[in-house]
Amino acid sequence: ADESFSDDPINYFDIVIDAQLEPGPGPNPSYSVWDWTMTFKVQNISDSEIEWQFNPSVASDLARKPDIYISKPVVTEAGPDGNRVATYTSTYTEERTGIRAKAWYETTIKLKPKVVYQVSIARHANDPLNSGRMTYYFNHSTRGVQFNLVVNPKLFAIEMEVNYHKGVIAPTASPAGVGGAQQITFKTDEKLDPNQGLQVYWTYRDAKPVQAAHSAN
């Protein structure tokens, strides 16, 4: 973690995304529900403190009452006392216009030189039921991404598209567990460049796939 991926003095690594896709409530659901938590590590490899700004967001374009949630980022530093709360500020902002809802946290972390920080954010979004797309792209060069999706394959057909220099990698699926759900996992230790990542396309039951719906990462 001491090598710089580019001229950027901030290294961004060990991303883990734990996601769940389910139909909305009731016997005849009208939307799908995404829940996911992203955890990653960040390190300032320069010799002086840096104020690093990032704006995690969540959005939904769902017609008829989109529902969104984003947690305040939790930032800790690894120290002799275990995980200590880092020095940071985080301001919540929300916009709702018609069918669109978006929320984000304008967050600034004071990154001490060489210290490794861990950041965790939870998100929730209601999205179209029949078919849609969830995008997870990263703004910085990133080394190491693991994406875990819990979904019932009897309810949703899933296609995953990974965008980076080695192209598409097939995810692995665990055996179906309680209630028919299984975990689909994608993992790479490779470096991803800025604006690379993965997308998940879903289709509910016999609906035809459409790639128009979009949610921000």
Side-chain angles (χ1 to χ4, degrees):
D2 290 332
E3 64 175 306
S4 177
F5 303 151
S6 64
D7 295 333
D8 191 340
I10 296 174
N11 277 3
Y12 188 64
F13 55 101
D14 290 355
I15 291 179
V16 178
I17 300 169
D18 290 311
Q20 185 167 328
L21 172 63
E22 293 183 314
N28 296 301
S30 59
Y31 57 86
S32 60
V33 178
W34 274 95
D35 284 293
W36 73 101
T37 299
M38 182 171 74
T39 300
F40 63 90
K41 293 176 182 174
V42 62
Q43 183 181 37
N44 166 17
I45 63 169
S46 74
D47 295 324
S48 58
E49 184 176 273
I50 292 175
E51 287 197 345
W52 181 54
Q53 296 180 329
F54 77 115
N55 298 304
S57 65
V58 62
S60 174
D61 294 329
L62 183 70
R64 300 185 308 279
K65 197 178 178 181
D67 183 39
I68 56 170
Y69 167 79
I70 183 169
S71 70
K72 179 179 179 179
V74 176
V75 186
T76 55
E77 62 172 273
D81 302 324
N83 282 339
R84 302 180 300 183
V85 176
T87 302
Y88 72 106
T89 59
S90 203
T91 303
Y92 179 77
T93 305
E94 184 176 296
E95 288 181 358
R96 289 182 181 271
T97 55
I99 66 170
R100 182 168 175 78
K102 182 179 181 182
W104 65 95
Y105 271 99
E106 296 181 18
T107 302
T108 301
I109 309 174
K110 292 185 177 180
L111 299 175
K112 301 173 187 176
K114 309 299 189 281
V115 174
V116 174
Y117 295 84
Q118 180 164 294
V119 183
S120 182
I121 307 146
R123 298 175 173 97
H124 162 97
N126 290 355
D127 264 330
L129 176 66
N130 286 348
S131 56
R133 175 184 69 185
M134 184 63 75
T135 300
Y136 300 90
Y137 279 4
F138 311 113
N139 296 328
H140 285 253
S141 293
T142 302
R143 190 178 301 280
V145 175
Q146 180 167 331
F147 177 79
N148 306 311
L149 172 62
V150 175
V151 64
N152 187 337
K154 294 181 180 178
L155 298 180
F156 290 94
I158 297 294
E159 291 184 20
M160 191 175 296
E161 181 179 280
V162 181
N163 174 22
Y164 81 121
H165 58 276
K166 286 198 173 179
V168 175
I169 290 182
T172 59
S174 71
V178 178
Q182 67 178 184
Q183 179 170 291
I184 299 171
T185 298
F186 163 81
K187 185 174 183 179
T188 178
D189 295 323
E190 298 282 341
K191 186 187 87 169
L192 276 71
D193 292 328
N195 299 314
Q196 293 185 332
L198 57 94
Q199 299 183 90
V200 179
Y201 295 93
W202 75 88
T203 305
Y204 182 65
R205 291 181 177 167
D206 297 325
K208 296 180 180 180
V210 177
Q211 297 182 1
H214 173 69
S215 290
N217 72 323

